[in-house]
Every structure is written in C-alpha cells, then in structure tokens.
Amino acid sequence: MEARFLQERLERALGRDVFLDSDDLKDLRTLLDLVRDSACLVILQSEHVLERPYCLLEMVTAIEARVPIVGVNLAGKPQAYDFANAANYLS
C-alpha cells in the first residue's frame, strides 16, 4: 500500500511515469534492465525489505550500474525498518 501511494505521489510531483517493481515481475532480466536504466532506485525501508530476494537483486544491480539509491523510511509503522537489525543482517 505504501509503495503504491509513493508511486502515485512521485508521478504527480515529477510529471512522469514511476516504475513499481510489483507491477510486472514476469521476467527478472526485464526487471534488472529497468533498474539499470533508472535515474534513481527508491527503496521502501520496511521491516523485511532486506529479506526479499528481488529487493536485494535490485539494490545490487543499482549499485553495480551506479544508479543512486534513496531509502524511504516507514517510521512509526508497526513493521518499521530497524537500522540496528539491518546493520547486523548486512554484516
């Protein structure tokens, strides 16, 4: 729900289409090509984002392609991103 809301707000603010990965996950190669061709990758920092394989692949692809990554924290949500747990998970 938050991702769709953010997509709609960004499209209005930017005046252009914003790709949401859950819109079409039929072909992983296409998804990663879209990440490589993006101006920016926005990651919704939910509680389990680092446990989702597609999200990890998107982040690694963005890093390799030098696509900037912007994290949007869902503070105040019951399943909020925990920075301490994320640091432990990543190490």
Side-chain angles (χ1 to χ4, degrees):
M1 181 174 85
E2 289 88 355
R4 181 74 57 205
F5 176 79
L6 184 58
Q7 177 193 31
E8 291 173 2
R9 290 296 175 118
L10 285 171
E11 285 179 341
R12 268 193 245 147
L14 299 172
R16 56 192 280 192
D17 289 338
V18 172
F19 174 73
L20 180 60
D21 64 0
S22 61
D23 285 343
D24 186 9
L25 288 176
K26 294 179 182 141
D27 187 343
L28 184 58
R29 290 169 300 191
T30 303
L31 172 63
L32 298 182
D33 285 342
L34 287 166
V35 171
R36 284 183 198 96
D37 294 337
S38 294
C40 179
L41 177 68
V42 177
I43 297 293
L44 232 56
Q45 292 175 299
S46 63
E47 180 182 22
H48 298 289
V49 68
L50 297 178
E51 299 170 13
R52 299 182 62 198
Y54 284 109
C55 293
L56 292 174
L57 282 171
E58 290 173 47
M59 288 186 267
V60 168
T61 300
I63 291 167
E64 289 174 346
R66 302 177 78 78
V67 173
I69 300 174
V70 174
V72 175
N73 191 299
L74 299 176
K77 300 292 287 182
Q79 298 83 22
Y81 187 81
D82 185 324
F83 286 92
N85 283 343
N88 290 333
Y89 182 79
L90 290 172
S91 54

